[in-house]
């Protein structure tokens, strides 16, 4: 594998099996040393990568890629293939707001994947505040939505899913702030 120091853009040179032949120094700063593009790709994005980054494709795609520090970042991937032998990928990181969303989605995904016994359960017999019940309902709704998001569906209905997530996150934040105020006054 070769680092191309003279290329001023984040460029990756790959083979059809996604093995990395070379990459620019811009890429070397962000990603760990690896022989495969799959190693930099989030688990949920791997199928999408395998389906859409293929010889003869010129389609721009979005993928979640993992930086050296383990954080997820959303990228636009532009591809150009030289016959069926080599692909040139330009990796353009999305805006900061998209990065924050990716980070929040990563945190929520980790929480959702936690074993049930590690999730905090309410004590039986304690009266439950109606705001807590509403918050639980909002969070359950978001969990159900996250379980429905599949890589192939994400592209088709991304705007709808994201707007619904933000709406429920905003409601959940309001409930949490109200509970904080309520607890401080007690």
């Amino acid at each position: 594998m070769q680092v191309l120091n003279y290329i001023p853009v984040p460029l990756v040179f790959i083979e059809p099996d996604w093995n990395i032949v070379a990459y620019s120094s811009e890429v070397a700063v962000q990603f760990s040393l690896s022989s495969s593009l799959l190693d930099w790709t989030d688990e949920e994005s791997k199928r999408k990568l395998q389906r859409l980054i293929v010889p003869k494709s010129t389609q721009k795609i979005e993928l979640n890629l993992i930086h050296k520090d383990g954080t997820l970042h959303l990228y636009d991937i532009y591809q150009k293939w030289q016959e069926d032998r080599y692909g040139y990928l330009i990796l353009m990181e999305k805006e900061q707001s998209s990065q924050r969303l990716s980070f929040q989605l990563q945190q929520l995904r980790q929480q959702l994947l936690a074993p049930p016994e590690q999730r905090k359960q309410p004590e039986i017999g304690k009266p439950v505040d109606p705001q807590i019940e509403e918050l639980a309902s909002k969070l359950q709704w978001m969990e159900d939505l996250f379980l429905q998001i599949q890589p192939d569906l994400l592209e088709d209905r991304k705007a709808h899913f994201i707007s619904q997530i933000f709406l429920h996150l905003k409601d959940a934040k309001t409930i949490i702030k109200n509970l904080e105020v309520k607890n401080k006054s007690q």
Side-chain angles (χ1 to χ4, degrees):
M1 197 166 355
Q2 180 181 2
V3 176
L4 307 171
N5 292 319
Y6 52 88
I7 307 277
V9 296
L11 174 77
V12 180
F13 184 50
I14 63 169
E15 296 173 326
D17 59 359
W18 310 288
N19 283 330
I20 298 170
V21 176
Y23 51 85
S24 67
S25 57
E26 294 277 327
V27 172
V29 170
Q30 298 296 330
F31 299 97
S32 301
L33 179 63
S34 176
S35 61
S36 175
L37 188 61
L38 292 168
D39 295 337
W40 294 344
T41 307
D42 177 50
E43 285 301 317
E44 280 79 32
S45 294
K46 284 184 182 180
R47 278 192 314 185
K48 184 176 177 182
L49 177 147
Q50 292 169 328
R51 197 176 68 245
L52 299 175
I53 296 184
V54 293
K56 296 184 182 168
S57 177
T58 58
Q59 181 179 7
K60 175 192 96 167
I61 65 169
E62 288 183 347
L63 290 177
N64 286 315
L65 300 179
I66 305 167
H67 279 194
K68 281 181 181 178
D69 63 4
T71 59
L72 281 180
H73 296 263
L74 185 62
Y75 279 83
D76 279 334
I77 312 290
Y78 298 87
Q79 59 183 312
K80 176 81 173 161
W81 289 85
Q82 181 182 354
E83 300 169 359
D84 290 341
R85 298 182 59 208
Y86 299 106
Y88 300 90
L89 307 178
I90 295 180
L91 313 177
M92 299 303 293
E93 193 168 6
K94 297 287 256 184
E95 296 178 28
Q96 291 293 333
S97 61
S98 295
Q99 291 175 16
R100 271 195 310 276
L101 177 60
S102 293
F103 178 72
Q104 290 169 342
L105 287 173
Q106 179 184 13
Q107 286 184 321
L108 286 171
R109 184 183 303 137
Q110 288 172 346
Q111 291 173 5
L112 294 174
L113 294 175
E117 60 273 2
Q118 290 181 359
R119 295 181 190 161
K120 193 172 183 179
Q121 300 293 325
E123 294 179 30
I124 297 174
K126 264 190 155 180
V128 179
D129 188 309
Q131 287 186 315
I132 292 175
E133 287 179 351
E134 185 181 355
L135 177 61
S137 171
K138 298 284 183 192
L139 294 174
Q140 181 62 49
W141 187 94
M142 285 187 290
E143 180 179 0
D144 293 343
L145 182 61
F146 282 125
L147 293 174
Q148 292 177 24
I149 296 177
Q150 299 296 323
D152 50 339
L153 291 176
L154 186 60
E155 283 303 312
D156 296 337
R157 301 192 60 216
K158 176 175 37 179
H160 171 73
F161 286 138
I162 298 301
S163 67
Q164 291 297 309
I165 290 168
F166 276 125
L167 176 69
H168 286 277
L169 283 173
K170 182 179 175 186
D171 290 348
K173 278 176 60 176
T174 301
I175 293 168
I176 290 169
K177 284 181 182 179
N178 290 341
L179 288 170
E180 287 174 342
V181 169
K182 185 178 178 180
N183 285 339
K184 285 181 183 178
S185 65
Q186 288 181 354

